[in-house]
Amino acid sequence: MRTSAPSEFSTTAMLTSVMAIFLLVGCTTSSGGSVSTQPNKSSSARPGDVDVTTVVSGLDAPWSIAFDGDTALISERDSGRILEIMPGGEQREIGTIDAATPMGEGGLLGLAVHDSYLYVYFTAGDENRVDRHELTGAPGSLGLGEPDTVLDGIASARNHNGGRIAFGPDGMLYVTVGDAGDREAAQDRDSLSGKILRLTPDGAVPEDNPFDGSPVYSYGHRNPQGLAWSDDGTMYASEFGQDTWDELNRIEAGRNYGWPVVEGMADDDRFVDPVQQWAPSDASPSGITIADGSIWIANLRGERLREVPLDDISASTEYLVGEQGRLRDVVVAPDGSLWVLTNNTDGRGAPGPDDDRVLRLDPAAAE
């Protein structure tokens, strides 16, 4: 099951069949948490076509893309390297996060750029933490200043580390944190695990956070790995489920998203239901972004890019299904195109000779 093995592996056919029987009779999980038997509200999914070009190839277990102006920066999970992508697609190392410890799903994970600082989320032994480095130099010769710790003491594990960081339209830093294998911690508001956190850029707790003195913004999450905001400021997050449902959630301050008590759409007034849910074999959603009126979701096990229109949140269109392998991140580039990061060299995919790669597509031309 996804709790006893890294959460992005495929379950066996036998276990999937057993779980399907459990769902039909409305059984509960072995931990006592309930699973939804409601219809999957993304049943209106349809295939779509899109033209794709390769921006850069030969990456090693890449995890996150962030832009500093027109310059793309990419993190590599296991090497700890941060790469600058040159205009012709060449790679240039701007620095290495020496404290990053590769372990299972852990290592160097999310990146975010804010006010000439590069923020990095990484596993450092028995903790995850967020540091920031001043970006020095100019495009083509960027470097990293000394680290300044923004947040530490986040529980780490071989899986469920979360790891996505992003600045919201309010200028605050948001951090997704997995349950690190401690399921019950997701419901404990005194724990950082299984949460989405909100901090000022220097790591302080904003006065208007939903819980006094706490960085916790929302809780009851299993392993969220995507963050994005629509033009009206609505926040969305993608989340790995266990064996039943992966989720797309609309995030509201102070709300409880149910894990491990429920998974997927449970119709339980104590918790917020996802706006869409998918079988893990079709999803394992990681990075997300919003462009051209839609949420775009990079999927690992599902090996597809999913588009969810904001004006019809129960619908979706699927692109690149099985064509490019595992997809880890998707971001909007300065020219309005989408950059999609493949993730076939992380030990779970089937890498081709040019993997891993950054793919480019035009969201407005997707059909």
Side-chain angles (χ1 to χ4, degrees):
M1 295 174 66
R2 299 179 96 192
T3 51
S4 60
S7 66
E8 295 156 18
F9 277 129
S10 296
T11 53
T12 65
M14 180 178 294
L15 185 56
T16 303
S17 298
V18 171
M19 182 56 72
I21 294 170
F22 276 25
L23 286 172
L24 288 173
V25 298
C27 291
T28 60
T29 64
S30 59
S31 66
S34 64
V35 294
S36 169
T37 58
Q38 295 190 24
N40 185 354
K41 292 188 179 180
S42 49
S43 58
S44 58
R46 66 176 184 87
D49 295 321
V50 65
D51 291 330
V52 175
T53 57
T54 297
V55 177
V56 61
S57 59
L59 301 170
D60 181 14
W63 210 92
S64 181
I65 306 174
F67 277 91
D68 176 34
D70 292 332
T71 302
L73 304 174
I74 294 178
S75 62
E76 290 187 336
R77 187 193 67 188
D78 297 341
S79 70
R81 298 194 306 162
I82 297 173
L83 304 174
E84 176 183 11
I85 305 305
M86 310 299 286
E90 300 87 358
Q91 308 170 27
R92 176 182 170 273
E93 182 180 318
I94 71 169
T96 301
I97 306 303
D98 294 327
T101 308
M103 44 183 278
E105 294 173 11
L108 177 58
L109 304 178
L111 302 179
V113 176
H114 183 73
D115 285 348
S116 299
Y117 282 94
L118 178 66
Y119 289 72
V120 296
Y121 183 113
F122 62 97
T123 308
D126 62 356
E127 70 169 356
N128 289 304
R129 71 174 188 250
V130 179
D131 283 357
R132 65 178 179 180
H133 299 254
E134 184 179 5
L135 281 168
T136 62
S141 59
L142 289 175
L144 294 181
E146 292 299 312
D148 174 29
T149 297
V150 174
L151 178 67
D152 57 10
I154 303 170
S156 68
R158 291 192 61 81
N159 51 26
H160 305 183
N161 290 289
R164 195 68 60 188
I165 55 177
F167 280 87
D170 56 3
M172 298 298 167
L173 174 64
Y174 291 80
V175 181
T176 73
V177 182
D179 67 10
D182 181 2
R183 300 155 59 101
E184 302 308 319
Q187 290 294 319
D188 179 1
R189 294 209 307 260
D190 292 328
S191 169
L192 299 180
S193 299
K195 310 294 190 298
I196 295 177
L197 310 178
R198 179 176 183 258
L199 301 163
T200 67
D202 62 2
V205 175
E207 293 184 358
D208 59 347
N209 267 13
F211 308 111
D212 289 345
S214 172
V216 172
Y217 190 75
S218 63
Y219 64 108
H221 299 289
R222 183 176 181 270
N223 192 21
Q225 284 192 6
L227 287 173
W229 288 263
S230 61
D231 288 343
D232 65 4
T234 302
M235 179 179 174
Y236 295 89
S238 61
E239 183 167 337
F240 289 84
Q242 186 175 302
D243 296 303
T244 313
W245 299 119
D246 290 339
E247 300 177 355
L248 175 65
N249 286 298
R250 183 183 290 116
I251 302 299
E252 301 174 28
R255 300 297 300 276
N256 186 344
Y257 287 79
W259 178 255
V261 184
V262 298
E263 182 181 355
M265 298 176 182
D267 195 24
D268 186 322
D269 290 342
R270 296 173 296 171
F271 310 115
V272 180
D273 277 350
V275 296
Q276 277 207 38
Q277 61 185 20
W278 313 278
S281 60
D282 295 330
S284 295
S286 191
I288 70 174
T289 195
I290 293 179
D292 199 41
S294 294
I295 306 168
W296 300 81
I297 307 165
N299 293 274
L300 291 158
R301 281 180 59 191
E303 297 188 353
R304 68 198 66 191
L305 181 68
R306 181 174 279 112
E307 178 190 7
V308 176
L310 289 168
D311 62 1
D312 187 3
I313 202 69
S314 66
S316 64
T317 305
E318 299 175 345
Y319 303 92
L320 311 179
V321 180
E323 297 177 7
Q324 306 290 340
R326 294 158 56 82
L327 306 181
R328 171 65 72 179
D329 199 11
V330 54
V331 300
V332 180
D335 64 359
S337 67
L338 294 181
W339 282 28
V340 181
L341 189 61
T342 72
N343 202 201
N344 297 313
T345 59
D346 71 342
R348 296 176 178 177
D354 297 325
D355 279 329
D356 269 307
R357 292 156 293 129
V358 174
L359 310 173
R360 182 187 182 277
L361 60 93
D362 179 359
E367 297 178 353

